[in-house]
Amino acid sequence: SFSEAEVQSARGAWEKIYVDAEDNGTTVLVRMFTEHPDTKSYFSHFKGMDSAEEMKQSDQIRGHGKRVFTAINDMVQHLDNSEAFLGIVNPLGKKHATQLKIDPKNFRVICDIILQLMEEKFGGDCKASFEKVTNEICTHLNNVYK
Ligand code: HEM
């Protein structure tokens, strides 16, 4: 669980990247698809997945980037209440496990890209403040598979 100070600094770090949720969410997805091309297989129904330039312009990827960031934002609002946090992360994990059949190793992949982008744009303290949140998200998403 998170101390009050950890909650505050994690929220401060997240706000910086969430201000531009669609742009930053899109950057994260395009990096995941480019650096880990196997992740594209889950999105075979998305058009324009052949190059990073195409992907950045894709309304489908932009919309999905926004959706992923909105879900993380909902989790970040409930770091101080584990029941509410799990109420968001468990159904999302269940959907990824049973319906979407996502290999759970990819949760760490996308979280590490988010942390990397935070460090690039806002520095090491921003990244450090958010690491525990990504660990919590990955732990609970992975637990759904057990
Ligand atoms: C759908 C969030 C990781 C693949 C979704 C949705 C959300 C979401 C909110 C929409 C769910 C709905 O429609 O009810 C997240 C979060 C993640 C994460 C917060 C990690 C922090 C991943 C990863 C992959 C993935 C790592 C695959 C590599 C998908 C796919 C869909 C989806 C294929 C359906 C997309 C569509 O057809 O529109 N995700 N996701 N997700 N997610 Fe994730």
Side-chain angles (χ1 to χ4, degrees):
S1 64
F2 292 84
S3 72
E4 188 55 33
E6 285 173 332
V7 169
Q8 291 310 327
S9 71
R11 281 189 185 148
W14 175 251
E15 275 166 23
K16 292 191 171 111
I17 198 162
Y18 188 65
V19 170
D20 295 311
E22 187 174 315
D23 278 343
N24 287 326
T26 301
T27 299
V28 167
L29 289 178
V30 173
R31 274 193 201 181
M32 179 174 80
F33 295 142
T34 311
E35 293 169 12
H36 303 267
D38 54 306
T39 59
K40 289 204 284 184
S41 65
Y42 302 109
F43 294 87
S44 55
H45 55 300
F46 278 25
K47 295 186 176 69
M49 298 286 279
D50 294 328
S51 73
E53 284 317 308
E54 249 185 321
M55 288 189 244
K56 283 177 199 160
Q57 310 294 327
S58 156
D59 287 341
Q60 284 174 307
I61 296 185
R62 298 194 67 80
H64 191 62
K66 180 80 194 291
R67 213 171 297 132
V68 171
F69 264 42
T70 301
I72 296 173
N73 190 59
D74 290 343
M75 297 175 202
V76 169
Q77 304 316 312
H78 296 98
L79 297 176
D80 47 4
N81 176 344
S82 57
E83 206 178 318
F85 182 85
L86 291 177
I88 297 162
V89 78
N90 282 340
L92 193 65
K94 197 158 187 224
K95 177 154 196 171
H96 283 74
T98 58
Q99 192 181 325
L100 299 167
K101 302 195 190 318
I102 306 302
D103 185 331
K105 74 168 198 274
N106 291 313
F107 298 132
R108 193 65 254 173
V109 167
I110 196 171
C111 281
D112 283 342
I113 296 171
I114 293 170
L115 291 174
Q116 184 189 57
L117 187 63
M118 281 180 154
E119 184 169 34
E120 277 172 29
K121 295 187 84 157
F122 310 113
D125 287 349
C126 182
K127 176 188 175 182
S129 300
F130 204 67
E131 269 173 346
K132 190 168 168 182
V133 177
T134 64
N135 293 344
E136 201 78 352
I137 292 172
C138 287
T139 299
H140 290 295
L141 288 176
N142 275 289
N143 280 346
V144 175
Y145 288 72
K146 287 179 181 151

